[in-house]
Amino acid sequence: MIKILKNSTEIAEFVQNISLRGGENCGAEKVALDIINDVKLRGDEAVNELTKRFDCENLEYYEVPKNAVDKAFYEADEDFVNALKRCKVNIETYHEKQVRAGYEIRQENDVILKQRVIPLDKVGIYIPGGTAPLFSSVLMCAVPAKIAGVGEIIMATPPRSDGSPNPDTLVAAKLCGVDRVFLCGGAQAIAAMAYGTLQIPKVSKIVGPGNAYVAAAKKLLFGEIDIDMIAGPSEILIIADDSANPRYIAADMLSQAEHDKLASAVLITTSEEIANLTIAELDKQLKALSRGEMAAESLKNYGAIIIQDELEKAIEIANLIAPEHLEILTENPFEVEEKIRNAGSVFVGEYSPEPLGDYFAGTNHVLPTNGTARFFSPLSVDDFVKKSSSIFYTNEALKSAASDIILVAEREGLTAHANSIRVRMG
């Protein structure tokens, strides 16, 4: 069911294999490009036709009315709403620490240099639907946007098969202050928010998870708008020694394997006994899962148990894979954490399982995948602001710098640059 790997050649081949799970699969970019061009040309008409083709025949709303959002919120189960509120408080507490204020430098001759931090005016968030609608992503996207001071939040989410919105997604949207909600999904929703249509506003940035077609559309439209990252299938990597609980390991591997058949769950352990006990637990726990068939396929194709004789080698492989989620189940987990350089989010100790970060702890669950944790970061308040620089020089200050500027400009052959300074020196 799941591969056991020990030698370096096998491990290298596996790492290469899991890196090829992303946007190139199933011709996603070609399909997304055709959809983008159609939406650019025909706007709302194209979006509605594509919604009928891919999601439902009869759409209840294109833009969900505010009274429908309110109705979903006030009719929702009280325990569910209160749980979301507690999650929101933790997410706010964590993300409020990320707020930047800019700075000002005053130099001699009254020179003033500034960096200004400016919230984006309009942001689009994409919330997946399907068999596992990720309404928790509304909190993860909208809360940091609100903290950053974004002017307007536009949400796109696919309708259910009967054409109605998912009520739990609407509850989260109401709770987080999302301004407008549109029922459309896939690459067509990304294109509509990127270009703007008669009904869907053009946004400055699009954030949020999605399938291969959503990821491909975001990649293709980067430059027309900004994006958070190009997300691939979900993944978890667990580092464990002989002190780890195989029951916990198996449960946490399956928590990601159930996402879809392209998800990846990897255990790297220094204990062959833990490896064997984890395999037995995977077999046992799979039988009780509603999405067990999906999880089993994921484990077969993109799962692995890697056995190493030293913890340092396990850490080295983990940094090479650069996983979305990394759990540390070792005797001294904080020592291991200090050596992790490449991971989207790190979960330290046996009582910090990955779903804690998905919903409740407060850290963001919109994370870099597919090895991009080498250079991408989790979604944060920084994603919803831009920075602008400002310069003020007096006449005397410019005179003191003029000869250096003129020398450098003329050395580059840009004589008009030099002249812009020189004309002020008369």
Side-chain angles (χ1 to χ4, degrees):
M1 178 185 67
I2 189 169
K3 297 175 281 293
I4 296 181
L5 309 175
K6 295 183 180 180
N7 71 61
S8 57
T9 301
E10 290 177 328
I11 294 166
E13 288 176 355
F14 172 74
V15 172
Q16 176 68 14
N17 185 41
I18 61 173
S19 72
L20 299 175
R21 297 172 299 136
E24 290 76 20
N25 70 82
C26 64
E29 283 198 20
K30 183 181 184 305
V31 173
L33 182 59
D34 289 342
I35 290 172
I36 288 167
N37 289 334
D38 192 19
V39 173
K40 185 177 182 180
L41 182 66
R42 297 193 299 129
D44 296 307
E45 181 182 0
V47 175
N48 280 291
E49 283 183 14
L50 291 161
T51 300
K52 281 188 176 182
R53 187 193 310 172
F54 296 126
D55 296 312
C56 63
E57 272 295 319
N58 299 301
L59 195 61
E60 186 174 353
Y61 316 107
Y62 188 31
E63 179 173 3
V64 181
K66 290 192 182 299
N67 62 353
V69 177
D70 292 342
K71 184 172 184 289
F73 183 81
Y74 293 117
E75 291 182 354
D77 174 75
E78 185 178 357
D79 288 341
F80 169 63
V81 174
N82 287 335
L84 283 189
K85 286 180 178 179
R86 287 188 287 271
C87 293
K88 180 173 177 275
V89 167
N90 291 341
I91 296 166
E92 286 172 335
T93 300
Y94 182 83
H95 287 80
E96 281 168 354
K97 294 289 186 182
Q98 299 170 350
V99 174
R100 298 182 184 223
Y103 56 85
E104 178 178 296
I105 301 171
R106 289 183 175 266
Q107 299 178 341
E108 294 177 1
N109 300 330
D110 296 322
V111 167
I112 302 173
L113 303 177
K114 295 180 185 178
Q115 183 183 80
R116 299 172 60 220
V117 178
I118 305 165
L120 299 181
D121 57 350
K122 205 182 301 285
V123 165
I125 64 175
Y126 184 84
I127 304 302
T131 56
L134 300 182
F135 55 83
S136 58
S137 291
V138 180
L139 279 71
M140 296 294 178
C141 294
V143 168
K146 282 288 185 184
I147 291 170
V150 167
E152 187 175 16
I153 301 174
I154 308 300
M155 187 174 90
T157 187
R160 297 189 292 184
S161 58
D162 64 357
S164 66
N166 182 286
D168 292 344
T169 301
L170 296 186
V171 170
K174 171 71 176 178
L175 186 64
C176 296
V178 171
D179 295 287
R180 300 176 70 182
V181 180
F182 291 88
L183 290 187
C184 55
Q188 60 271 26
I190 304 302
M193 290 191 288
Y195 290 120
T197 68
L198 289 176
Q199 295 190 55
I200 299 178
K202 177 181 174 65
V203 302
S204 299
K205 184 165 188 169
I206 298 174
V207 304
N211 63 18
Y213 301 98
V214 169
K218 287 168 71 176
K219 179 180 178 181
L220 290 165
L221 286 162
F222 176 63
E224 181 69 35
I225 41 89
D226 191 17
I227 61 171
D228 48 356
M229 63 191 78
I230 301 164
S234 190
E235 55 204 26
I236 188 170
L237 186 150
I238 300 171
I239 297 175
D241 60 15
D242 57 7
S243 70
N245 186 325
R247 186 163 168 250
Y248 296 168
I249 295 171
D252 296 352
M253 292 176 75
L254 291 170
S255 75
Q256 294 308 292
E258 75 169 351
H259 269 291
D260 62 58
K261 63 184 181 181
L262 294 173
S264 175
V266 178
L267 166 65
I268 310 178
T269 181
T270 54
S271 168
E272 192 151 350
E273 182 183 9
I274 291 294
N276 291 328
L277 290 171
T278 298
I279 290 171
E281 278 293 335
L282 286 169
D283 288 338
K284 178 181 176 182
Q285 293 182 33
L286 265 171
K287 296 171 184 175
L289 297 179
S290 60
R291 297 166 69 90
E293 189 175 335
M294 179 96 71
E297 187 173 357
S298 164
L299 291 176
K300 178 182 176 182
N301 295 327
Y302 299 109
I305 294 177
I306 298 172
I307 301 174
Q308 295 290 285
D309 54 5
E310 296 176 8
L311 202 53
E312 290 296 326
K313 291 181 182 178
I315 294 167
E316 183 180 338
I317 295 167
N319 279 322
L320 177 65
I321 293 174
E324 177 187 18
H325 308 100
L326 190 151
E327 289 189 3
I328 304 172
L329 302 179
T330 62
E331 189 173 356
N332 298 302
F334 288 106
E335 290 182 13
V336 175
E337 183 197 18
E338 288 299 314
K339 299 175 183 178
I340 298 299
R341 296 187 55 82
N342 301 326
S345 191
V346 180
F347 301 80
V348 183
E350 64 180 3
Y351 296 109
S352 306
E354 186 278 335
L356 182 65
D358 268 355
Y359 302 117
F360 190 78
T363 56
N364 209 289
H365 78 201
V366 180
L367 300 167
T369 62
N370 217 32
T372 60
R374 291 177 295 113
F375 48 84
F376 276 138
S377 304
L379 192 71
S380 72
V381 171
D382 284 344
D383 284 290
F384 298 99
V385 300
K386 59 182 180 178
K387 302 173 184 73
S388 177
S389 58
S390 172
I391 302 167
F392 171 79
Y393 264 54
T394 63
N395 181 30
E396 288 303 313
L398 184 60
K399 281 182 179 179
S400 69
S403 61
D404 288 340
I405 300 169
I406 290 168
L407 175 62
V408 173
E410 290 182 339
R411 191 69 169 253
E412 287 190 339
L414 299 176
T415 54
H417 279 62
N419 187 59
S420 173
I421 303 299
R422 190 175 282 115
V423 297
R424 289 170 165 80
M425 297 299 102

